[in-house]
Amino acid sequence: MKFVHHPDAALHRPATYFNKGLLRALPEKPERVGALASLIEKRGHALIRPDDYGSAPRAAVHTPAYLAFLETAHARWVAEGDMGEVVLPNVHRMQAAPSYPTSVVGQAGWHMFDTACPIDGNTWTATCAAANAAVHAARLVATGADRAAYALCRPPGHHATRDMAGGFCYLNHVAIAAESVLPTLRAQGRPARVAIIDVDVHHGNGTQDIFYDRDDVFFVSVHGDPAEFYPHMAGYAQERGTGRGEGYTLNLPLPIGSDEATVLATIGTGLADIARFAPEILFVSLGFDTFIGDPLAAFGVTTPGFARMGAMIAATGLPTVLVQEGGYAIDALSANLSSFLDGFEGGFESTAGA
């Protein structure tokens, strides 16, 4: 198993965000990747620095206007004068909005669906580095260099839609990675078909948005019920896809406070559906905010429970790309990743020998 990470992912460091009417400390901190990277190295794995894949993988998923906004927004924001330290919207898209604004303030409202995605001077560099890590991990698996790879991405990505940031996310790393391997599969004469399972406590609304009308990407999300929990407006069970994609989105929302057994059983349900889809590669949006002690958590997964989760995913026997998403109990991140890897690597070795 290979591990991929770019140190530039730590450069993004806004201090605060608005949540429930209050200015709060941002829990999505650079220390998250420090803890995870240290754990990987302690386990004896090298961290591979990804290649720079340029703009093409990002452009295959996100719109040109959105990418231009992310790249230039902070410099334009500062140049306006009398602005805060980070880009945050004070307007949002209006119903049936007919015209794209030219000002950075207007574009912030167009391209940022909440106030949990502040952009600082290094956000673009960091999220591009994370996207490259995800693409690199995906290509290692797609080309047969390894059967599994882990992309240590930060900031996370699964809330980012084709043209909007939100929920600490800017580029959708797992979507970029999944999209990037489809041409490789076609060139190899293999079915261009992949699956994504999102086990973060929050619904992967951005990943769903990107692939909602597709039948070559099967998306499964196990998450807190959006009727009560972020992102509130997506992730309901009736959302099943549209057009050719109808039936290729599976949302499995769970009540807030669901215990470990319930969460793992529901992940098992999602994995069974993925097995029926028979993808060539499985992508995992891996969030550790399902942890019982996470400050944002709504579920009761324990540290030992992550080993069982890892073993379940490995038991599919599919070539697998793990892409790091949330997880904000920094003191517990190392233990939770270590537990997951114990289960996953052990299960993967058993599957390989079968």
Side-chain angles (χ1 to χ4, degrees):
M1 181 172 175
K2 300 293 193 300
F3 295 80
V4 188
H5 173 61
H6 197 294
D8 282 356
L11 296 177
H12 166 77
R13 50 181 67 235
T16 57
Y17 75 118
F18 280 105
N19 176 259
K20 299 178 181 177
L22 296 174
L23 187 65
R24 302 175 189 264
L26 191 75
E28 205 292 288
K29 300 176 181 178
E31 290 81 3
R32 296 177 62 242
V33 287
L36 295 171
S38 294
L39 179 279
I40 290 164
E41 291 173 331
K42 286 178 183 176
R43 290 176 67 96
H45 301 293
L47 284 169
I48 300 168
R49 189 170 180 140
D51 296 334
D52 184 350
Y53 292 97
S55 62
R58 302 189 293 266
V61 166
H62 295 288
T63 66
Y66 179 56
L67 293 172
F69 166 76
L70 284 181
E71 185 173 10
T72 65
H74 189 264
R76 294 167 59 209
W77 183 268
V78 172
E80 287 279 330
D82 193 29
M83 308 286 264
E85 293 182 1
V86 297
V87 180
L88 274 178
N90 57 275
V91 296
H92 290 285
R93 284 193 209 181
M94 301 171 190
Q95 193 170 14
S99 301
Y100 185 70
T102 57
S103 74
V104 68
V105 175
Q107 288 175 7
W110 188 279
H111 290 300
M112 302 167 80
F113 64 75
D114 65 17
T115 55
C117 50
I119 296 173
D120 71 11
N122 291 310
T123 299
W124 174 249
T125 299
T127 194
C128 285
N132 282 328
V135 170
H136 197 96
R139 293 193 179 189
L140 287 172
V141 173
T143 59
D146 211 315
R147 291 182 66 235
Y150 169 84
L152 177 47
C153 295
R154 189 266 167 183
H158 70 149
H159 293 308
T161 72
R162 287 189 176 278
D163 65 348
M164 298 189 87
F168 312 151
C169 300
Y170 305 90
L171 295 175
N172 193 308
H173 310 129
V174 74
I176 292 169
E179 186 70 43
S180 75
V181 303
L182 295 176
T184 301
L185 296 176
R186 293 188 194 100
Q188 294 171 346
R190 298 161 65 188
R193 187 169 59 233
V194 301
I196 301 169
I197 185 165
D198 191 322
V199 296
D200 189 279
V201 76
H202 304 100
H203 177 246
N205 62 288
T207 312
Q208 173 174 294
D209 171 76
I210 290 163
F211 296 118
Y212 203 56
D213 60 354
R214 301 269 294 270
D215 60 3
D216 55 347
V217 180
F218 183 38
F219 174 65
V220 177
S221 184
V222 178
H223 52 271
D225 188 346
E228 303 178 63
F229 199 59
Y230 187 91
H232 302 292
M233 300 176 198
Y236 294 85
Q238 65 266 27
E239 297 164 21
R240 299 279 294 166
T242 188
R244 288 177 55 191
E246 187 172 356
Y248 292 89
T249 291
L250 175 62
N251 284 308
L252 299 169
L254 292 174
I256 305 308
S258 291
D259 62 15
E260 177 175 287
T262 301
V263 173
L264 295 180
T266 307
I267 290 172
T269 297
L271 290 171
D273 276 63
I274 285 171
R276 286 187 283 273
F277 178 68
E280 293 294 297
I281 299 175
L282 174 63
F283 290 81
V284 181
S285 274
L286 181 60
F288 291 119
D289 45 8
T290 53
F291 177 52
I292 193 168
D294 193 279
L296 302 184
F299 291 166
V301 179
T302 64
T303 296
F306 286 113
R308 291 189 282 276
M309 185 188 299
M312 291 170 63
I313 292 169
T316 65
L318 292 167
T320 302
V321 181
L322 306 169
V323 178
Q324 187 62 52
E325 299 286 0
Y328 307 101
I330 293 173
D331 291 344
L333 276 179
S334 294
N336 290 340
L337 176 59
S338 186
S339 179
F340 180 91
L341 291 176
D342 285 345
F344 181 80
E345 291 179 321
F348 221 65
E349 289 171 5
S350 299
T351 302

